[in-house]
Amino acid sequence: MPGQRSAAHQVLRRSRLVVAIAVSVCALLGTVRLVAPATGGPDGEPPGVQRQLAFQRAALDDGAGEEAQQLFPEGYFFSYVLYGLSRAESGMRRPVGERSTALREARWALERLESPSGRAPFSPDLTPSHGVFHRGWSNWLRGGVLSLQPAGERDPAEVRRFAADSAALAAAFDASDSPYLAAYPGQAWPVDSTVAIASLRLHDTLLPARFDGTATRWLRAARARTDPGTGLLPHRADPDTGEPLESARGSSQSLIQRFLVDIDPEFADEQYRRFRDRFVDSPLALGPAVREYPKGTDGPADVDSGPLPLGVSASATVVTIGAAQVHGDDRLASALAAYCELLGLPLDTPWTKRYAFGLVPIGDAFLAWSKTARPWVADPPPPSAPPSSVSAWWRLPLLSLLTILGVAPWLPTLVRRCRHRYSRSGAVSGHVAADVPAADGAAPGRDRLGDVTRSDRR
């Protein structure tokens, strides 16, 4: 029995040691992720993004697009379009002669958007056909494919298709009383029309200009139909009149701010500052994050926002990395990206990088696209970057928590050792005192002051 108790005690001690080491290593790893650079700006290579893209391609080959379609109506489409856009933006950072991989992969993604699966959720009876969501995002990626190639080397068929789709979008906007075209029958989200108008601006950058009038009229109409509570473009609007039906929300605003800069930098700067003031928050003082609803208000979570702990939308927070980056708000972009590195549980290998253990590849797609963000039309970013809204000390509370987490498993052992040393020190002191010869005839080991006191009592 004593031997069994001793063996069990040894197993328990070793288990505690393993747990303590694991917790401390995780805290140290979290600290490294929090302070290491996580973005590369509009021109630099984002750390780890090529391995992210390698994971995404493998996931798409294994059916990640079809799985995402089960989560929300645009799951398949977003899985491929974000992968293609990330490849295009990554390729734009490279010399022209080193863009073959980016070009091949962007074209591959674009083909999937035009497939029956890519078009399935969208009605061909809308104007333009399949709705502004499908046509706008597809046109933006098609323009990205052309942007990767010198003007004299572009495929004539791709150029004709880009020009034709741009013309179809422009005709739909010109014929509509609303600046916000329908993505589904009877439903319009301003973010989708923002992407489409940005693609027309891109057309006029790559090919002879044709659509400045359409974009100018759209801007004027959009300015007149902002959300009265925030002054931002609304989340949802009436497709016939353009009047707001739902106030601004973080999940769509983060996307809108990403594209407005390529439509009109001045309007984009105004809108971005409003968005940042009303939606970027720091819950519990633990770093910046993006709310789904403006500060001071709350609302229900849905498929666009995802869960809303403390009012924060993870999807809006991730996409705002890209919005901040294209607006030159580098401190906010890097802070949000570092936050994602800490909380996203990235798993690194020499070949791939995935977040949340790779369980939700669509989340990886949004994060990679955000990190590769760069203006396509307004290049470089607007010179009047907004002043930073993030303190240089924003990491301090998180670093303090990580330090406490790393030290906490070792505290019981440290306390026991201190007590043990204190006990030994007391025992040694008592032993030494007992052996000291008494002075002035007192008994060995007796306190003379104590003797005097007792004598006085007598």
Side-chain angles (χ1 to χ4, degrees):
M1 292 295 292
Q4 292 179 350
R5 285 196 296 269
S6 177
H9 182 67
Q10 289 293 329
V11 171
L12 181 61
R13 287 186 61 187
R14 290 175 181 173
S15 299
R16 288 175 176 171
L17 179 62
V18 170
V19 171
I21 292 173
V23 170
S24 296
V25 168
C26 288
L28 178 60
L29 185 59
T31 299
V32 172
R33 287 174 176 165
L34 193 61
V35 300
T39 57
D43 299 313
E45 178 73 13
V49 78
Q50 295 301 322
R51 287 180 289 123
Q52 283 182 257
L53 293 174
F55 163 70
Q56 287 175 47
R57 176 57 196 261
L60 289 171
D61 288 340
D62 289 339
E66 289 76 9
E67 293 175 6
Q69 187 63 30
Q70 304 305 312
L71 301 177
F72 60 104
E74 301 87 14
Y76 179 95
F77 187 94
F78 264 132
S79 296
Y80 284 97
V81 75
L82 295 179
Y83 173 75
L85 292 174
S86 299
R87 284 291 189 182
E89 290 183 322
S90 180
M92 291 175 190
R93 289 170 162 81
R94 298 179 178 275
V96 172
E98 299 177 12
R99 297 178 176 181
S100 58
T101 298
L103 183 59
R104 182 188 68 246
E105 294 299 299
R107 281 172 168 159
W108 176 81
L110 184 58
E111 289 173 2
R112 271 65 193 170
L113 305 185
E114 300 292 345
S115 70
S117 296
R119 291 178 172 175
F122 309 104
S123 171
D125 298 327
L126 292 173
T127 303
S129 63
H130 298 96
V132 71
F133 175 92
H134 185 280
R135 294 295 289 272
W137 282 92
S138 298
N139 207 46
W140 182 252
L141 178 54
R142 199 178 305 280
V145 168
L146 295 180
S147 298
L148 290 171
Q149 308 167 69
E153 299 178 13
R154 292 169 183 157
D155 184 334
E158 290 179 339
V159 173
R160 287 193 298 271
R161 178 64 185 277
F162 182 55
D165 282 7
S166 297
L169 282 167
F173 280 111
D174 291 341
S176 174
D177 293 330
S178 169
Y180 308 129
L181 303 181
Y184 296 97
Q187 300 182 74
W189 287 264
V191 60
D192 303 328
S193 292
T194 305
V195 177
I197 292 294
S199 77
L200 299 186
R201 288 294 201 198
L202 182 60
H203 171 281
D204 286 2
T205 301
L206 299 174
L207 303 178
R210 295 175 56 189
F211 306 119
D212 180 68
T214 300
T216 300
R217 285 189 294 273
W218 182 88
L219 276 168
R220 185 167 56 247
R223 282 179 178 271
R225 292 169 174 83
T226 56
D227 165 32
T230 61
L232 295 164
L233 300 189
H235 180 68
R236 193 164 55 88
D238 186 307
D240 297 321
T241 66
E243 294 303 317
L245 295 179
E246 190 173 354
S247 60
R249 287 176 48 180
S251 54
S252 59
Q253 280 299 313
S254 55
L255 287 165
I256 288 170
Q257 305 308 321
R258 172 78 179 262
F259 287 94
L260 272 183
V261 70
D262 282 318
I263 298 174
D264 184 88
E266 182 179 344
F267 182 53
D269 183 64
E270 170 197 318
Q271 289 281 293
Y272 177 74
R273 292 177 190 239
R274 287 178 179 271
F275 161 70
R276 197 179 66 174
D277 290 345
R278 290 160 176 76
F279 286 88
V280 178
D281 203 359
S282 182
L284 305 179
L286 294 179
V290 179
R291 296 178 53 83
E292 178 63 15
Y293 297 92
K295 295 175 184 177
T297 64
D298 288 299
D302 59 19
V303 69
D304 292 326
S305 68
L308 299 176
L310 300 176
V312 169
S313 167
S315 62
T317 298
V318 167
V319 176
T320 299
I321 296 171
Q325 192 157 287
V326 299
H327 281 271
D329 194 356
D330 296 334
R331 182 172 287 182
L332 178 58
S334 62
L336 292 173
Y339 211 34
C340 290
E341 290 296 312
L342 174 64
L343 301 181
L345 303 175
L347 178 62
D348 283 279
T349 74
W351 307 277
T352 63
K353 182 176 183 179
R354 65 199 72 186
Y355 290 79
F357 305 107
L359 297 176
V360 190
I362 188 67
D364 292 78
F366 273 105
L367 186 53
W369 178 60
S370 295
K371 287 185 177 182
T372 59
R374 65 192 313 275
W376 289 17
V377 177
D379 192 15
S384 58
S388 176
S389 62
V390 179
S391 168
W393 301 96
W394 74 269
R395 291 181 177 87
L396 187 58
L398 287 169
L399 290 173
S400 300
L401 285 176
L402 289 169
T403 300
I404 293 171
L405 179 65
V407 172
W410 305 98
L411 287 178
T413 301
L414 293 173
V415 170
R416 284 196 301 270
R417 288 187 176 180
C418 289
R419 285 178 177 174
H420 182 63
R421 289 179 180 176
Y422 180 78
S423 301
R424 291 184 61 191
S425 174
V428 171
S429 298
H431 179 70
V432 171
D435 292 340
V436 173
D440 299 332
R446 181 173 296 173
D447 187 344
R448 287 184 294 157
L449 181 59
D451 287 343
V452 170
T453 302
R454 284 189 289 274
S455 175
D456 288 345
R457 289 200 191 103
R458 290 196 296 271

